[in-house]
Amino acid sequence: MLQAVQSFNVEDTGDNMRSLMRRLFPICRSITGEGVRETLRILQEHIPLEIREVPTGVQVFDWTVPREWNIRDAWIKNSEGERLVDFRRLNLHVVSYSAPVHQRMRLAELKEHLYTVPHQPDWVPYRTSYYKESWGFCLSENQLAQLNETEEYDVCVDSSLTSGHLSYGEYLLKGTEPGEVLISCHICHPSLANDNLSGIAVAVELARHLASSPRRYSYRFLFIPGTIGSITWLSQNEDIVSNIRHGLVLTCVGDPGNITYKRSRRGEAEIDRAFVHVLKQSGQAHRVIEFSPYGYDERQYCSPGFNLPIGAMMRSPHGEFAQYHTSADNLDFVKAEALVDSLSKCREVIHVLEHNRFYINLKPKCEPQLGRRGLYGAVGGSTHTKDWEMALLWILNLSDSRHSLLDIAERSGISFSVIADAAKVLISKELIKEVQGKSGLFHPDGSRSAEVDSPGHTL
Ligand code: ZN
């Protein structure tokens, strides 16, 4: 009878996500290149995603698909031929998209191309230069301290920038009804764990769970390079966009911080309300932040020409944890419990979206007699609480085709899963039936109706 989110083996699921991250961690990814393809091929062992290739030079709105970047090796060697900075030991050592270079130079000249994290002497920063051709090395302060002014260094970046492709992964799980949910994560960072790999791991696991569950919506998973990937996808799929009902960008979902949900640009879209409801009901500390045009791919999905109902889920927001974009964002920083909790929240939110429908009370004149139907006091025995009976009463009262189950959950303060279970029982007793919602309270574009502010409304 219960519709609550199917449970899963927490330990196995956490292990699956951690082991996928361990496997992907050493790969040198960027916004294009073999590292992205290798990553996508590994994901294909878990979910049957399609790898799409968009050629260099293709115009995507105001942008152009860039040249493909690949790298084989890079180093800074001293006169003894010793590698003081070695790409093969840590791929963060090379500024992503560095142009090829092989020169001998002294520290004074080399310094213009070196980056460190000054306040963390052991950490190596992560830097990129995608759209301005240059080269550079990232190293720790301790490594920098070993370089001296008199030595001549052998500096090499063995990379290529050539006409090629931008690669991304797409996996569509078909549903039974029209409408899609878009789940998007970025795959363009090299050896960083929370920023990029955690989102990939949760998305893959979510896709596997959804693939084995009945579903009303279709789910489209995108594994794309940040910014240019979502711009490219949007520019090539404008015909699909109108079908997107809800969406989530997953980023930085594995650190031990509390969950942060960033609202869509619409602010009160169903995905926003569903996420906020799940977080409130969880009783866990969390943060809900307003949309801003900075962050990950929600910037593109929520640009005014699309304005999609897509929010972003993260734990500690980028830039608010010290390890962000440094070598300290490693596998130790990401916790299995945090990954599992992030996955659980996504599944609960999807449960809300899947079951949020409108009903009409078939016996609306006074309350129907619940006791006679075995619905009051006795139903479900000891597992049902006061919430259960209140859920029945709230649903009967508000099922006028203008209030969805999420409206009822929000207004009653009862968790959506209890409301959804109670609705199922009321349907079986022929006390309510599903109707096309009139969306009296919420327009399809997510904005609140003027009716909300009219006298008498206390929502
Ligand atoms: Zn990043």
Side-chain angles (χ1 to χ4, degrees), residues 126 186 189 192 195 296 324-325:
Y126 163 58
H186 62 289
H189 291 27
L192 295 174
D195 187 2
Y296 287 88
Y324 173 71
H325 279 190

Side-chain angles (χ1 to χ4, degrees), residues 174-180 215-218 243 357 434:
K174 288 251 193 219
T176 54
E177 292 177 22
E180 281 188 9
R215 42 182 195 273
R216 158 192 174 194
Y217 289 118
S218 295
N243 206 24
R357 300 177 190 212
E434 191 180 340

Side-chain angles (χ1 to χ4, degrees), residues 65-250:
V65 173
R67 286 178 295 169
E68 183 175 323
W69 183 69
N70 283 291
I71 179 160
R72 286 157 294 278
D73 202 353
W75 64 76
I76 299 174
K77 288 181 188 169
N78 62 14
S79 48
E80 272 97 68
E82 232 183 309
R83 288 181 178 230
L84 304 177
V85 178
D86 184 357
F87 168 79
R88 290 188 171 169
R89 285 182 59 188
L90 179 68
N91 57 37
L92 296 178
H93 278 318
V94 173
V95 171
S96 189
Y97 255 69
S98 280
V101 61
H102 195 176
Q103 263 177 263
R104 300 187 74 82
M105 62 182 77
R106 292 191 193 275
L107 185 57
E109 191 186 346
L110 178 56
K111 255 187 175 162
E112 288 170 33
H113 299 274
L114 300 183
Y115 304 91
T116 62
V117 187
H119 54 282
Q120 290 286 357
D122 297 326
W123 295 3
V124 176
Y126 163 58
R127 291 291 185 104
T128 66
S129 186
Y130 302 138
Y131 302 107
K132 178 172 171 272
E133 189 168 321
S134 69
W135 61 269
F137 284 87
C138 299
L139 64 169
S140 69
E141 278 286 327
N142 292 337
Q143 283 175 301
L144 180 62
Q146 288 172 9
L147 305 182
N148 63 64
E149 304 288 345
T150 51
E151 184 117 28
E152 197 181 48
Y153 295 100
D154 176 36
V155 176
C156 177
V157 177
D158 181 10
S159 66
S160 60
L161 277 164
T162 53
S163 192
H165 293 83
L166 175 150
S167 321
Y168 68 89
E170 186 165 10
Y171 176 42
L172 179 66
L173 268 170
K174 288 251 193 219
T176 54
E177 292 177 22
E180 281 188 9
V181 180
L182 186 79
I183 307 289
S184 177
C185 61
H186 62 289
I187 52 158
C188 51
H189 291 27
S191 294
L192 295 174
N194 196 37
D195 187 2
N196 113 129
L197 293 186
S198 67
I200 297 173
V202 169
V204 166
E205 204 59 32
L206 182 62
R208 293 179 62 227
H209 283 236
L210 282 166
S212 61
S213 320
R215 42 182 195 273
R216 158 192 174 194
Y217 289 118
S218 295
Y219 290 81
R220 188 180 298 272
F221 287 82
L222 294 181
F223 299 87
I224 49 174
T227 307
I228 189 68
S230 50
I231 293 171
T232 299
W233 188 85
L234 285 163
S235 120
Q236 302 212 321
N237 292 279
E238 280 201 74
D239 51 329
I240 291 174
V241 167
S242 61
N243 206 24
I244 296 172
R245 302 283 193 274
H246 320 282
L248 277 177
V249 169
L250 303 180

Side-chain angles (χ1 to χ4, degrees), residues 265-330:
R265 181 176 179 273
R266 298 181 186 193
E268 285 286 343
E270 197 175 328
I271 182 74
D272 301 320
R273 295 172 53 218
F275 220 115
V276 172
H277 177 78
V278 165
L279 289 175
K280 270 190 194 163
Q281 288 290 330
S282 74
Q284 294 168 285
H286 64 270
R287 202 151 47 120
V288 177
I289 57 176
E290 295 303 319
F291 177 78
S292 72
Y294 192 68
Y296 287 88
D297 289 305
E298 69 279 8
R299 294 160 68 163
Q300 315 310 330
Y301 300 127
C302 296
S303 57
F306 290 106
N307 198 23
L308 293 172
I310 295 182
M313 179 203 186
M314 61 209 96
R315 300 189 77 90
S316 300
H318 57 91
E320 289 188 21
F321 54 96
Q323 296 86 346
Y324 173 71
H325 279 190
T326 75
S327 54
D329 180 1
N330 56 28

